[in-house]
């Protein structure tokens, strides 16, 4: 979704009207009978404009919650030239500028001013910004839940002994509730002495209405646009090009056995190095497409999705690919092992294991029957467990328990 598309004056008026309608229904008509209790939630997203994995989940969850009648605000630290306040998809985004003690006081003043406008604070990511916000909300008498993003987020803080981290560790003990997206993260929290009664497993989700399998006609149009023959197998990697994504291992596996066309879609700190690696080794049939605002086109045109990461939380791209009917080849890490079962929705391989990855690519390229079977299972898995509406309902059930 393009969150930065400019709006006309008329659209701005509609947004303002919608916002005040929500506020009116929430604040001025508490006695109106409703079938479901509605909540006022303050989301803390340390850098909402980065639009990485957990930032996207926070934005999608906020939109889904507002669509079910809840009042949501997001507070964040800006990354780029974005407005200090923005109304987006039914919720408000507040960006607080500054650093260090200045940012601390601005965050404190902001939460104090809004203290009567939210029932609960939901923080995403274990960072200084989210921990300070969580502590301030607790001092204001508001319950707090915290959702770590990836493995070692909590361990990193617990293992350090600076004055700042000693404060953080004390504050972590006072978090009311923890949201974990995978079994791996649940085990990490348990190893950091977080009581099991505070840990709640809620997976990431995907908008299965948006991310769908292409019709044969649309698929043909997309393949022609990308100049891909109909009988050619296309492997797709889509994501940020950084070290933890393991794309260098994918290139090495491709060098052993180039068995189709490999698309690498994304940008990042490793982009130029990976291009040089592919060029210096003379790797055939590799196309670097750069970043995109239309990932759906790539999902719907490709045949197999590949995620060779060495560290992940609960990858959005894997959910999106599965929702689009792509069989997946991925490493056995994080939430991936919760999503994929071996030879059910695709294939799992060990981290940084080049030869097994190469063999998995070859099997997917050679067996159309396997690809069809994996595709059907992938779509069914998403529909059954990871659709946005189902996961939003899980959050609402938890909020209801915590705010009795």
């Amino acid at each position: 979704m393009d969150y930065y598309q400019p709006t006309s004056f008329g659209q701005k008026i509609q947004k303002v009207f919608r916002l005040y309608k929500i506020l009116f229904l929430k604040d001025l008509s508490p006695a109106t009978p409703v079938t479901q209790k509605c909540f006022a939630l303050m989301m803390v997203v340390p850098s909402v404009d980065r639009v990485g994995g957990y930032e996207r989940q926070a934005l999608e969850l906020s939109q889904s919650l507002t669509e079910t009648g809840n009042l949501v605000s997001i507070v964040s630290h800006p990354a780029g030239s974005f407005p200090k306040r923005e109304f987006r998809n039914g919720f408000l985004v507040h960006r607080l500028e500054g650093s260090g003690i200045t940012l601390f006081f601005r965050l404190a003043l902001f939460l104090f001013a809004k203290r009567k406008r939210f029932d609960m604070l939901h923080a995403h990511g274990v960072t200084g910004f989210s921990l300070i916000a969580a502590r301030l909300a607790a001092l204001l008498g508001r319950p707090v839940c915290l959702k770590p993003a990836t493995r070692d987020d909590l361990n990193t803080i617990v293992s350090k002994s600076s004055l700042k981290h000693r404060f953080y560790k004390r504050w972590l003990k006072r978090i009311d509730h923890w949201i974990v997206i995978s079994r791996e993260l649940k085990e990490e929290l348990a190893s950091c002495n977080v009581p099991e009664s505070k840990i709640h497993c809620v997976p990431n989700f995907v908008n299965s209405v948006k991310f769908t399998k292409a019709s044969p006609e649309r698929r043909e149009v997309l393949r022609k646009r990308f100049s891909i023959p109909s009988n050619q197998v296309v492997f797709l990697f889509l994501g940020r090009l950084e070290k933890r994504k393991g794309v260098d291992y994918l290139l090495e596996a491709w060098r052993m056995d180039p068995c189709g066309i490999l698309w690498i879609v994304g940008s990042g700190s490793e982009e130029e190095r990976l291009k040089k690696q592919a060029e210096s080794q003379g790797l055939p049939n590799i196309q670097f497409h750069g970043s995109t605002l239309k990932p759906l086109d790539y999902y719907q045109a490709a045949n197999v999705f590949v995620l060779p990461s060495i560290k992940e939380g609960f990858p959005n791209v894997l959910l999106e690919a599965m929702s689009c009917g792509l069989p997946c080849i991925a490493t056995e890490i994080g939430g991936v092992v919760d999503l994929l079962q071996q030879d059910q929705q695709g294939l799992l391989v060990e981290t940084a294991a080049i030869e097994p990855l190469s063999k998995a690519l070859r099997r997917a390229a050679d067996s159309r029957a396997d690809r069809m079977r994996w595709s059907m299972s992938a779509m069914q898995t998403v529909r059954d467990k990871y659709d946005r509406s189902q996961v939003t309902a899980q959050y609402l059930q938890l909020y209801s328990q915590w705010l009795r």
Side-chain angles (χ1 to χ4, degrees):
M1 182 178 293
D2 184 0
Y3 291 105
Y4 313 123
Q5 184 176 356
T7 55
S8 66
F9 179 76
Q11 289 172 323
K12 289 178 181 177
I13 294 297
Q14 290 178 351
K15 286 182 175 183
V16 170
F17 177 77
R18 183 181 176 191
L19 173 62
Y20 279 96
K21 183 179 178 182
I22 293 172
L23 289 171
F24 179 81
L25 291 174
K26 171 69 184 175
D27 295 339
L28 302 184
S29 303
T32 304
V34 292
T35 57
Q36 172 190 301
K37 183 179 178 181
C38 297
F39 306 103
L41 301 160
M42 180 65 70
M43 297 285 182
V44 178
V45 188
S47 185
V48 71
D49 302 309
R50 190 177 71 95
V51 196
Y54 78 84
E55 293 91 350
R56 289 171 56 198
Q57 283 288 313
L59 289 168
E60 287 281 349
L61 176 60
S62 297
Q63 179 178 351
S64 185
L65 288 169
T66 60
E67 289 172 355
T68 52
N70 301 280
L71 183 62
V72 179
S73 295
I74 291 179
V75 61
S76 182
H77 189 241
S81 55
F82 297 99
K84 292 182 179 180
R85 189 170 67 170
E86 178 185 8
F87 184 63
R88 174 191 296 183
N89 296 329
F91 54 88
L92 272 173
V93 178
H94 303 267
R95 298 179 177 90
L96 304 182
E97 296 179 344
S99 60
I101 196 68
T102 302
L103 181 60
F104 172 82
F105 279 113
R106 285 181 177 171
L107 185 56
L109 289 172
F110 173 81
L111 291 176
F112 181 78
K114 303 293 182 182
R115 66 192 184 282
K116 295 183 179 179
R117 291 288 186 174
F118 66 96
D119 303 318
M120 182 172 188
L121 185 136
H122 185 160
H124 299 257
V126 184
T127 69
F129 186 86
S130 58
L131 290 178
I132 291 170
R135 183 59 186 143
L136 291 169
L139 290 173
L140 292 171
R142 297 293 180 271
V144 173
C145 71
L146 181 59
K147 177 186 176 184
T150 59
R151 187 188 72 212
D152 294 332
D153 279 5
L154 190 58
N155 275 329
T156 299
I157 290 176
V158 171
S159 63
K160 294 184 178 180
S161 58
S162 67
L163 178 62
K164 175 178 70 175
H165 287 91
R166 287 202 295 269
F167 276 114
Y168 288 169
K169 282 184 275 191
R170 290 177 60 186
W171 297 347
L172 286 169
K173 293 178 181 179
R174 301 184 183 184
I175 298 294
D176 301 296
H177 311 285
W178 293 80
I179 300 289
V180 294
I181 54 178
S182 67
R183 286 174 290 175
E184 180 184 64
L185 284 175
K186 183 177 181 179
E187 292 169 0
E188 179 180 336
L189 263 63
S191 71
C192 293
N193 298 317
V194 176
E196 186 176 357
S197 60
K198 291 186 175 184
I199 303 174
H200 309 270
C201 295
V202 183
N204 283 349
F205 57 82
V206 63
N207 185 345
S208 59
V209 174
K210 175 182 177 181
F211 291 97
T212 59
K213 187 173 183 177
S215 65
E217 295 78 15
R218 173 168 167 76
R219 183 176 177 81
E220 184 178 353
V221 169
L222 289 171
R223 302 275 288 200
K224 285 182 178 178
R225 184 197 303 172
F226 289 116
S227 300
I228 302 297
S230 59
N231 62 345
Q232 186 68 271
V233 177
V234 176
F235 294 88
L236 168 67
F237 167 85
L238 191 151
R240 291 197 304 276
L241 299 182
E242 52 189 37
K243 195 67 178 177
R244 73 180 180 90
K245 293 297 183 179
V247 180
D248 48 347
Y249 299 113
L250 175 57
L251 295 183
E252 288 295 330
W254 194 258
R255 183 175 63 84
M256 291 183 66
D257 185 5
C259 49
I261 293 175
L262 175 60
W263 284 348
I264 298 177
V265 181
S267 60
S269 59
E270 291 285 293
E271 184 174 3
E272 291 305 316
R273 188 187 69 80
L274 292 169
K275 287 180 177 179
K276 289 178 181 178
Q277 179 181 345
E279 183 179 357
S280 64
Q281 295 180 353
L283 303 183
N285 300 330
I286 294 182
Q287 300 174 9
F288 287 84
H289 288 264
S291 60
T292 180
L293 293 175
K294 297 181 178 180
L296 185 61
D297 289 353
Y298 291 93
Y299 291 132
Q300 293 185 335
N303 298 97
V304 181
F305 187 77
V306 189
L307 188 69
S309 298
I310 58 178
K311 180 181 178 181
E312 288 285 352
F314 201 100
N316 291 319
V317 289
L318 200 57
L319 283 167
E320 292 168 358
M322 291 170 63
S323 187
C324 291
L326 281 179
C328 299
I329 298 172
T331 45
E332 297 176 294
I333 56 169
V336 173
V337 295
D338 298 331
L339 263 173
L340 297 182
Q341 293 178 297
Q342 186 68 278
D343 201 25
Q344 294 297 313
Q345 300 85 11
L347 297 172
L348 292 166
V349 297
E350 295 178 7
T351 306
I354 295 170
E355 185 174 352
L357 178 56
S358 179
K359 289 180 178 179
L361 296 172
R362 170 52 66 182
R363 178 178 171 184
D366 289 346
S367 179
R368 186 171 183 272
D370 278 342
R371 295 200 305 271
M372 292 179 65
R373 176 169 57 85
W374 295 335
S375 172
M376 294 297 294
S377 180
M379 288 189 292
Q380 189 64 48
T381 298
V382 168
R383 284 195 294 266
D384 290 347
K385 299 180 180 179
Y386 305 108
D387 181 69
R388 188 177 78 162
S389 60
Q390 294 175 335
V391 176
T392 301
Q394 292 182 47
Y395 275 110
L396 289 172
Q397 184 176 14
L398 287 174
Y399 295 153
S400 180
Q401 295 172 8
W402 297 337
L403 293 171
R404 285 176 180 170

